[in-house]
Each structure stands twice: as structure tokens, then as C-alpha cells.
Amino acid sequence: MRAPCLLLSQIFLALSLIALNAPSRAQTLQIYTQSWPPYSYEHQGSLTGYSTELLQAVLQEAGIDANYTTLSWSRAYQHASTEANTLLYTTTRTPEREELFEWIGPIGLRKLWLFKLKERTDIKIKGVDDLKKYRVSIVRDTSSLQLVMERGLFPRSQIDEAPTTTSNVKKLFFKRVDLILATNGGANYELSQLAYAKDSIEPVYLLNDEFSLYFAINKKTEATTIEKIRLAFDKIKSSGLIETLKKKYKVD
């Protein structure tokens, strides 16, 4: 009986040494995002978009497995800000959020434009004082809405809150609002999905461009995981992939 037992012991020891010496992978990361074309959205049953492709490349480089969940922005933000081992994208890095996350990026500049129908030649905006003349639609529970509210850029009675950028664009064509607030990439993508001419809306005023877009990691996430992602992002950034994806998805 000693020979079989000795053989089993040798096999167990060999397997243990292999396990110890094998490269370890980080714990599976839970990813939360919203449907926000062209940054993250579903196409033919798969999650895609500028930020999605970039994040997938970063995590592959870092050797980190991930589960992706698409939720409303408010729910995605709630999960990622309270749960360990989570990452949220695409996120605006603001002073109010600074201490809540570890930030990876920037992955792009957030330029917030006010768009109008091209046929609305009566809408003219030369400065912030002109904003009070018009009704605007903004996606609810976003940093964009928070910025507008905190700075009093529009009277509260003239702000229409919408669930998505798609709703915003439709409201513009139905003439329920005069303006919508969106990124250039977001507005152009939504227009491409609707039965309207591509040049039927136009940016009329750059409202804000002081903040950038990032990947946000919950601070309770393992430090080794965060560091792997940070190093992988730096490597992907130097590869030129960011500029390639910006051209592909037509983002600023």
C-alpha cells in the first residue's frame, strides 16, 4: 500500500507546486454601465461602444476577468459606489465624486453641447444670459443635469428631464423643447438611428468642457487589481488604440 500512497503524495505535491507557480488572475470584476451610445450600447446582442472596447482591451492586458451589467445610470452608479470589486463607466470625474472612486483615465473630454433643430433660426445663443429664453431637455440623474442646476444656467421651470438621449432627440423633433444637452458623439449616434436627415440638428452652444471621462473603480476593490488596471491602461494608451477608437466611434 505504501507505493500507491507515495505516488499519490508525489502527484499532490507536484500539483501544489504548479498552482503556486502559475500566474494568478485577479478576482472577477463586476462592471456596471448604462446604455449611452456611442460610449456603451448593445448591438446585435453584444455590448459595444467606444468605452466598452477600450475597457475590454485594458482588462485583457491586465489579465482580469469581468462581468458586464447594463442598468439605468442611477442604479449603475449606486451599485458601483457601494460595492467592492466594481468598476463604473463611462463616468465624469467631478470634485463631488473625487473621493468616492479610484480613477482610471482620462478616456476622453466631456464636451456638453446644446443642440437645436437646424430649421429653428429663431434660436440664437451668444452667452449664458440667452439660455433663459429657451426650454431644454437633459438626461436625469447625470452630472450634466447637476452642473446645470448648481450653476443656475436654466430656470428650473424650463428644464425637462428625460430618461435617455434618445428621448431627448425625439422631444427636439416633436418641438416639445427648444434645446437638448448632449455630447457630439451621443447626439450624432442617436440621429443616425432615427428617420431624420443627418444635418437636421446642429450644435448651437458649447455649454461646458471642463471635465473629463474616466473609468471609476470602487475604493474597496483590491489594491492589486486597481494597480493592474492602471498599468494596463497606460500601456494601451501608449499603443494608440484610444485615438483609433475615437475615430471609429466619432467621439471628441
Side-chain angles (χ1 to χ4, degrees):
M1 293 293 294
R2 292 187 61 189
C5 290
L6 179 60
L7 179 60
L8 287 174
S9 297
Q10 291 173 335
I11 293 173
F12 179 79
L13 178 60
L15 291 174
S16 299
L17 291 173
I18 291 173
L20 287 173
N21 293 324
S24 61
R25 294 179 69 85
Q27 181 181 2
T28 300
L29 194 65
Q30 177 61 52
I31 309 294
Y32 291 107
T33 189
Q34 65 172 328
S35 180
W36 187 29
Y39 301 97
S40 56
Y41 61 100
E42 282 199 8
H43 178 66
Q44 297 181 346
S46 298
L47 186 62
T48 188
Y50 165 74
S51 303
T52 301
E53 280 204 43
L54 179 57
L55 179 59
Q56 288 171 342
V58 170
L59 295 183
Q60 182 176 3
E61 177 65 34
I64 294 175
D65 293 323
N67 291 324
Y68 290 78
T69 301
T70 302
L71 299 171
S72 67
W73 174 248
S74 57
R75 290 183 61 199
Y77 186 88
Q78 175 65 25
H79 281 292
S81 61
T82 57
E83 299 173 7
N85 207 48
T86 57
L87 182 149
L88 176 70
Y89 78 100
T90 303
T91 320
T92 304
R93 186 175 184 174
T94 64
E96 295 78 18
R97 296 172 175 173
E98 184 64 34
E99 298 305 317
L100 295 176
F101 300 99
E102 293 290 341
W103 300 92
I104 306 295
I107 64 174
L109 186 63
R110 186 194 70 168
K111 292 185 179 181
L112 295 178
W113 289 91
L114 289 170
F115 289 83
K116 71 176 184 67
L117 291 177
K118 192 171 184 178
E119 66 183 47
R120 289 289 303 275
T121 57
D122 58 305
I123 297 177
K124 301 183 186 300
I125 302 176
K126 295 181 179 180
V128 292
D129 290 340
D130 293 326
L131 301 182
K132 296 176 173 59
K133 304 174 185 177
Y134 306 108
R135 183 167 176 79
V136 63
S137 188
I138 307 172
V139 178
R140 69 172 63 102
D141 297 324
T142 60
S143 60
S144 303
L145 177 61
Q146 183 179 5
L147 180 143
V148 168
M149 298 282 286
E150 288 179 349
R151 300 187 182 182
L153 298 176
F154 287 87
R156 183 66 186 90
S157 60
Q158 291 176 215
I159 299 175
D160 185 289
E161 296 184 32
T164 64
T165 303
T166 303
S167 298
N168 272 346
V169 174
K170 289 180 179 179
K171 287 178 182 180
L172 193 62
F173 281 105
F174 294 155
K175 299 183 179 178
R176 291 175 54 188
V177 294
D178 304 303
L179 304 163
I180 62 169
L181 185 63
T183 63
N184 190 50
N188 286 332
Y189 174 85
E190 296 297 347
L191 190 60
S192 72
Q193 303 301 298
L194 300 172
Y196 298 102
K198 292 182 179 180
D199 62 347
S200 53
I201 69 172
E202 62 183 5
V204 65
Y205 188 74
L206 179 60
L207 191 67
N208 185 268
D209 64 353
E210 63 189 273
F211 299 114
S212 294
L213 302 172
Y214 282 75
F215 300 131
I217 307 177
N218 185 284
K219 285 196 167 186
K220 297 177 185 176
T221 302
E222 293 181 6
T224 53
T225 298
I226 296 172
E227 185 60 18
K228 285 181 179 180
I229 296 173
R230 199 180 301 281
L231 291 174
F233 176 81
D234 289 341
K235 188 169 182 179
I236 292 297
K237 182 179 179 180
S238 65
S239 74
L241 179 63
I242 290 179
E243 295 307 315
T244 298
L245 291 176
K246 282 184 176 179
K247 291 178 182 178
K248 177 180 178 179
Y249 289 100
K250 299 178 182 179
V251 301
D252 294 327

